[in-house]
mmCIF file of all heavy atoms in Angstrom:
data_model
loop_
_atom_site.group_PDB
_atom_site.id
_atom_site.type_symbol
_atom_site.label_atom_id
_atom_site.label_comp_id
_atom_site.label_asym_id
_atom_site.label_seq_id
_atom_site.Cartn_x
_atom_site.Cartn_y
_atom_site.Cartn_z
ATOM 1 N N SER A 142 24.148 10.944 5.943
ATOM 2 C CA SER A 142 24.062 9.505 6.054
ATOM 3 C C SER A 142 23.214 8.819 5.099
ATOM 4 O O SER A 142 22.209 9.291 4.794
ATOM 5 C CB SER A 142 23.759 9.061 7.440
ATOM 6 O OG SER A 142 24.916 9.177 8.291
ATOM 7 N N SER A 143 23.447 7.453 4.838
ATOM 8 C CA SER A 143 22.656 6.679 4.047
ATOM 9 C C SER A 143 21.620 6.021 5.005
ATOM 10 O O SER A 143 21.693 6.190 6.179
ATOM 11 C CB SER A 143 23.493 5.622 3.464
ATOM 12 O OG SER A 143 24.164 4.910 4.418
ATOM 13 N N TRP A 144 20.689 5.310 4.438
ATOM 14 C CA TRP A 144 19.644 4.791 5.134
ATOM 15 C C TRP A 144 19.915 3.248 5.567
ATOM 16 O O TRP A 144 19.107 2.851 6.501
ATOM 17 C CB TRP A 144 18.307 4.698 4.303
ATOM 18 C CG TRP A 144 18.405 3.808 3.090
ATOM 19 C CD1 TRP A 144 18.749 4.236 1.864
ATOM 20 C CD2 TRP A 144 18.367 2.467 3.029
ATOM 21 N NE1 TRP A 144 18.911 3.186 0.991
ATOM 22 C CE2 TRP A 144 18.632 2.029 1.757
ATOM 23 C CE3 TRP A 144 17.962 1.339 4.008
ATOM 24 C CZ2 TRP A 144 18.586 0.697 1.301
ATOM 25 C CZ3 TRP A 144 17.922 0.156 3.604
ATOM 26 C CH2 TRP A 144 18.199 -0.238 2.298
ATOM 27 N N ASN A 145 20.794 2.674 4.996
ATOM 28 C CA ASN A 145 20.957 1.260 5.208
ATOM 29 C C ASN A 145 21.419 0.710 6.592
ATOM 30 O O ASN A 145 20.992 -0.412 6.993
ATOM 31 C CB ASN A 145 21.890 0.524 4.109
ATOM 32 C CG ASN A 145 23.144 1.067 3.951
ATOM 33 O OD1 ASN A 145 23.484 2.181 4.450
ATOM 34 N ND2 ASN A 145 24.012 0.277 3.419
ATOM 35 N N ILE A 150 25.834 3.790 11.220
ATOM 36 C CA ILE A 150 26.701 4.765 10.484
ATOM 37 C C ILE A 150 26.661 6.144 11.035
ATOM 38 O O ILE A 150 27.717 6.581 11.429
ATOM 39 C CB ILE A 150 26.362 4.781 8.968
ATOM 40 C CG1 ILE A 150 26.724 3.341 8.356
ATOM 41 C CG2 ILE A 150 27.051 5.901 8.184
ATOM 42 C CD1 ILE A 150 26.332 3.092 6.967
ATOM 43 N N LYS A 168 22.655 14.985 9.021
ATOM 44 C CA LYS A 168 21.384 14.855 8.180
ATOM 45 C C LYS A 168 21.220 13.289 8.074
ATOM 46 O O LYS A 168 22.042 12.658 7.184
ATOM 47 C CB LYS A 168 21.430 15.511 6.883
ATOM 48 C CG LYS A 168 19.982 15.538 6.226
ATOM 49 C CD LYS A 168 19.976 15.824 4.694
ATOM 50 C CE LYS A 168 20.200 14.580 3.898
ATOM 51 N NZ LYS A 168 19.295 13.537 4.129
ATOM 52 N N ASP A 171 16.500 10.545 4.393
ATOM 53 C CA ASP A 171 15.076 10.867 4.355
ATOM 54 C C ASP A 171 14.265 9.552 4.421
ATOM 55 O O ASP A 171 13.007 9.537 4.604
ATOM 56 C CB ASP A 171 14.699 11.709 3.225
ATOM 57 C CG ASP A 171 15.573 11.345 1.933
ATOM 58 O OD1 ASP A 171 16.666 10.856 2.121
ATOM 59 O OD2 ASP A 171 15.092 11.492 0.850
ATOM 60 N N ALA A 201 17.693 15.656 -0.516
ATOM 61 C CA ALA A 201 18.837 16.420 -1.108
ATOM 62 C C ALA A 201 18.922 17.840 -0.953
ATOM 63 O O ALA A 201 20.076 18.331 -0.574
ATOM 64 C CB ALA A 201 18.687 16.230 -2.680
ATOM 65 N N GLN A 205 22.099 19.600 0.724
ATOM 66 C CA GLN A 205 22.867 20.661 -0.024
ATOM 67 C C GLN A 205 23.028 21.894 0.874
ATOM 68 O O GLN A 205 24.049 22.506 0.855
ATOM 69 C CB GLN A 205 22.067 20.942 -1.336
ATOM 70 C CG GLN A 205 22.946 21.572 -2.449
ATOM 71 C CD GLN A 205 23.996 20.733 -2.896
ATOM 72 O OE1 GLN A 205 23.855 19.552 -3.175
ATOM 73 N NE2 GLN A 205 25.175 21.300 -2.947
ATOM 74 N N PHE A 217 30.350 12.113 4.237
ATOM 75 C CA PHE A 217 29.335 11.708 3.556
ATOM 76 C C PHE A 217 29.223 10.144 3.333
ATOM 77 O O PHE A 217 30.241 9.585 2.979
ATOM 78 C CB PHE A 217 29.326 12.365 2.131
ATOM 79 C CG PHE A 217 28.235 11.831 1.278
ATOM 80 C CD1 PHE A 217 26.929 12.215 1.370
ATOM 81 C CD2 PHE A 217 28.509 10.897 0.297
ATOM 82 C CE1 PHE A 217 25.924 11.621 0.566
ATOM 83 C CE2 PHE A 217 27.636 10.418 -0.508
ATOM 84 C CZ PHE A 217 26.304 10.713 -0.427
ATOM 85 N N THR A 218 28.176 9.563 3.620
ATOM 86 C CA THR A 218 27.906 8.154 3.228
ATOM 87 C C THR A 218 26.773 8.023 2.264
ATOM 88 O O THR A 218 25.662 8.404 2.650
ATOM 89 C CB THR A 218 27.745 7.330 4.463
ATOM 90 O OG1 THR A 218 28.716 7.600 5.504
ATOM 91 C CG2 THR A 218 27.586 5.856 4.204
ATOM 92 N N GLY A 219 27.035 7.479 1.117
ATOM 93 C CA GLY A 219 25.921 7.249 0.197
ATOM 94 C C GLY A 219 26.468 6.748 -1.172
ATOM 95 O O GLY A 219 27.517 6.245 -1.324
ATOM 96 N N SER A 220 25.637 7.059 -2.154
ATOM 97 C CA SER A 220 25.911 6.444 -3.440
ATOM 98 C C SER A 220 26.986 7.325 -4.226
ATOM 99 O O SER A 220 27.316 8.547 -3.836
ATOM 100 C CB SER A 220 24.620 6.432 -4.243
ATOM 101 O OG SER A 220 24.141 7.848 -4.420
ATOM 102 N N THR A 223 25.576 10.718 -5.666
ATOM 103 C CA THR A 223 25.387 11.758 -4.713
ATOM 104 C C THR A 223 26.750 12.213 -4.191
ATOM 105 O O THR A 223 27.037 13.393 -4.019
ATOM 106 C CB THR A 223 24.472 11.269 -3.512
ATOM 107 O OG1 THR A 223 23.396 10.700 -4.096
ATOM 108 C CG2 THR A 223 24.080 12.410 -2.676
ATOM 109 N N GLU A 241 32.291 8.136 1.847
ATOM 110 C CA GLU A 241 32.126 6.640 1.975
ATOM 111 C C GLU A 241 30.964 6.200 0.971
ATOM 112 O O GLU A 241 29.788 6.425 1.251
ATOM 113 C CB GLU A 241 31.641 6.223 3.404
ATOM 114 C CG GLU A 241 32.678 6.554 4.428
ATOM 115 C CD GLU A 241 33.894 5.570 4.534
ATOM 116 O OE1 GLU A 241 33.924 4.772 3.485
ATOM 117 O OE2 GLU A 241 34.699 5.705 5.336
ATOM 118 N N LEU A 242 31.512 5.715 -0.177
ATOM 119 C CA LEU A 242 30.517 5.532 -1.330
ATOM 120 C C LEU A 242 30.277 4.014 -1.571
ATOM 121 O O LEU A 242 30.473 3.139 -0.667
ATOM 122 C CB LEU A 242 31.040 6.197 -2.581
ATOM 123 C CG LEU A 242 31.377 7.757 -2.406
ATOM 124 C CD1 LEU A 242 31.943 8.294 -3.711
ATOM 125 C CD2 LEU A 242 30.259 8.407 -1.766
ATOM 126 N N GLY A 243 29.882 3.636 -2.735
ATOM 127 C CA GLY A 243 29.461 2.262 -2.991
ATOM 128 C C GLY A 243 30.633 1.362 -2.981
ATOM 129 O O GLY A 243 31.843 1.653 -3.013
ATOM 130 N N CYS A 275 27.151 -1.627 1.776
ATOM 131 C CA CYS A 275 28.286 -1.221 0.891
ATOM 132 C C CYS A 275 29.293 -2.254 0.863
ATOM 133 O O CYS A 275 30.017 -2.461 -0.281
ATOM 134 C CB CYS A 275 28.929 0.031 1.448
ATOM 135 S SG CYS A 275 29.452 -0.092 3.208
ATOM 136 N N GLU A 373 26.999 -1.125 -8.910
ATOM 137 C CA GLU A 373 26.734 -1.695 -7.628
ATOM 138 C C GLU A 373 25.340 -2.361 -7.601
ATOM 139 O O GLU A 373 24.375 -1.864 -8.123
ATOM 140 C CB GLU A 373 26.723 -0.585 -6.588
ATOM 141 C CG GLU A 373 26.653 -0.986 -5.152
ATOM 142 C CD GLU A 373 26.716 0.157 -4.051
ATOM 143 O OE1 GLU A 373 26.118 1.175 -4.411
ATOM 144 O OE2 GLU A 373 27.138 -0.133 -2.905
ATOM 145 N N HIS A 441 37.779 2.147 8.041
ATOM 146 C CA HIS A 441 36.954 1.725 7.067
ATOM 147 C C HIS A 441 36.913 2.847 5.889
ATOM 148 O O HIS A 441 36.854 4.078 6.178
ATOM 149 C CB HIS A 441 35.555 1.563 7.597
ATOM 150 C CG HIS A 441 34.419 1.437 6.518
ATOM 151 N ND1 HIS A 441 34.420 0.350 5.750
ATOM 152 C CD2 HIS A 441 33.440 2.220 6.171
ATOM 153 C CE1 HIS A 441 33.381 0.371 4.972
ATOM 154 N NE2 HIS A 441 32.773 1.645 5.193
HETATM 155 P P1 LIG B 601 22.106 8.317 -1.357
HETATM 156 O O1 LIG B 601 23.298 8.804 -2.110
HETATM 157 O O2 LIG B 601 20.739 8.270 -2.153
HETATM 158 O O3 LIG B 601 21.827 9.229 -0.102
HETATM 159 C C1 LIG B 601 22.869 9.409 0.900
HETATM 160 C C2 LIG B 601 22.528 10.675 1.581
HETATM 161 O O4 LIG B 601 22.748 11.808 0.891
HETATM 162 C C3 LIG B 601 20.925 10.818 2.120
HETATM 163 O O5 LIG B 601 20.943 11.355 3.445
HETATM 164 C C4 LIG B 601 20.446 11.742 1.025
HETATM 165 O O6 LIG B 601 19.274 12.455 1.517
HETATM 166 C C5 LIG B 601 21.655 12.749 0.916
HETATM 167 N N1 LIG B 601 21.604 13.474 -0.389
HETATM 168 C C6 LIG B 601 20.992 13.083 -1.558
HETATM 169 N N2 LIG B 601 21.373 14.048 -2.508
HETATM 170 C C7 LIG B 601 22.123 15.027 -1.808
HETATM 171 C C8 LIG B 601 22.816 16.186 -2.186
HETATM 172 N N3 LIG B 601 22.622 16.631 -3.550
HETATM 173 N N4 LIG B 601 23.497 16.906 -1.385
HETATM 174 C C9 LIG B 601 23.684 16.430 -0.085
HETATM 175 N N5 LIG B 601 23.029 15.368 0.280
HETATM 176 C C10 LIG B 601 22.346 14.580 -0.561
HETATM 177 O O7 LIG B 601 22.483 6.914 -0.795
HETATM 178 P P2 LIG B 601 21.503 5.785 -0.064
HETATM 179 O O8 LIG B 601 20.520 5.194 -0.966
HETATM 180 O O9 LIG B 601 20.985 6.463 1.247
HETATM 181 O O10 LIG B 601 22.534 4.819 0.492
HETATM 182 C C11 LIG B 601 22.966 3.740 -0.453
HETATM 183 C C12 LIG B 601 24.363 4.063 -0.947
HETATM 184 O O11 LIG B 601 25.215 4.298 0.152
HETATM 185 C C13 LIG B 601 24.994 2.822 -1.544
HETATM 186 O O12 LIG B 601 25.638 3.175 -2.737
HETATM 187 C C14 LIG B 601 25.948 2.280 -0.423
HETATM 188 O O13 LIG B 601 26.939 1.405 -1.006
HETATM 189 C C15 LIG B 601 26.391 3.490 0.075
HETATM 190 N N6 LIG B 601 27.036 3.230 1.401
HETATM 191 C C16 LIG B 601 28.299 3.354 1.584
HETATM 192 C C17 LIG B 601 28.931 3.019 2.855
HETATM 193 C C18 LIG B 601 30.422 3.148 3.076
HETATM 194 O O14 LIG B 601 30.757 3.104 4.206
HETATM 195 N N7 LIG B 601 31.246 3.101 2.027
HETATM 196 C C19 LIG B 601 27.989 2.642 3.920
HETATM 197 C C20 LIG B 601 26.604 2.676 3.679
HETATM 198 C C21 LIG B 601 26.124 2.898 2.385
#
Side-chain angles (χ1 to χ4, degrees):
S142 278
S143 59
W144 62 266
N145 58 337
I150 292 175
K168 194 195 85 57
D171 37 331
Q205 201 62 50
F217 172 79
T218 305
S220 60
T223 313
E241 294 287 7
L242 309 181
C275 56
E373 189 178 33
H441 169 69

